[in-house]
Amino acid sequence: MKNIILIAPPAAGKGTLANSLKSLGYEQLSTGDMLRDLAQIDPSLQEKMQTGALIDDETVFKALKNKLNKLGNTPYILDGFPRNIKQAEMYDKLLEELNRDLGVVIYMNTDKNTLLKRATSRVVCPNCGRSYNLLSEELKPIKEGFCDICDQELIRRKDDTEEIFEKRYSTFLDQTAPLIEFYENKNKLFKVDSKVAEKTYEEVKNIIKEEA
Ligand code: AMP
């Protein structure tokens, strides 16, 4: 199976899609989750993440490499990495050293209004990281306020306010969106509409099947 890179604006549903793809045998590698773990012991990291800015490339890459080293040959989904051209180049170099294929890059596209609504109605499980959306019948938890999987009380992410969403969205446009052309030029990019989670998942499954 090809590895997958997910490129998406904030609240497009990267985490939800990655979670669905796990049932096909993929491991989900979320740099956001790795950094949230690190931020628990590093308040300066937490402060920076709460402004909607990106964390420095070296810190992120080190955390990612650690996970990749432990993974062996299990196929994986990069959820939230790379976030800029520099990270994409660092990753290309690593793949070259490891003699591994890049796999496929999925760009999840949705309009800004939908994203804002999603960000401000998102709740997550602090234990397993699963995301839910209170405005969506499809993505609501079964039992209000609790995770379907671990029954933990769901919380709001601190960066899911309207103000921080705006900052994260503009960080996406400035730094992450150039990756679309970067991967188009390598003939690795597939665009999907991320309005309805179930449809997005089916679309991505077909892409993976065709590319296998
Ligand atoms: P996410 O969970 O992917 O929405 O990421 C949450 C926050 O973690 C982002 O707003 C960034 O501050 C940070 N972050 C996650 N992935 C990266 C990355 N690849 N490079 C830099 N910062 C990142």
Side-chain angles (χ1 to χ4, degrees), residues 14 31-32 35-36 49 53 55 60 80 83 87 157 168:
K14 280 183 284 117
T31 44
L35 293 168
R36 276 183 284 277
M49 285 173 80
I55 301 305
V60 179
R83 283 289 233 278
Q87 291 182 6
R157 270 173 50 170
R168 293 170 70 212

Side-chain angles (χ1 to χ4, degrees), residues 118 121-125 130-134 141 154-157 160:
R118 280 204 198 143
S121 56
R122 164 159 69 183
V123 283
V124 296
C125 174
R130 184 159 171 181
S131 280
Y132 297 87
N133 199 292
L134 303 177
L154 300 171
I155 56 165
R156 280 186 190 275
R157 270 173 50 170
D160 273 343

Side-chain angles (χ1 to χ4, degrees), residues 106-149:
I106 308 281
Y107 167 44
M108 302 172 72
N109 190 21
T110 310
D111 63 281
K112 189 181 167 194
N113 259 346
T114 306
L115 297 170
L116 172 62
K117 264 193 225 142
R118 280 204 198 143
T120 49
S121 56
R122 164 159 69 183
V123 283
V124 296
C125 174
N127 184 43
C128 70
R130 184 159 171 181
S131 280
Y132 297 87
N133 199 292
L134 303 177
L135 291 182
S136 153
E137 282 309 316
E138 192 191 8
L139 299 175
K140 271 204 305 214
I142 297 166
K143 181 170 138 200
E144 198 183 321
F146 291 88
C147 180
D148 293 353
I149 299 159

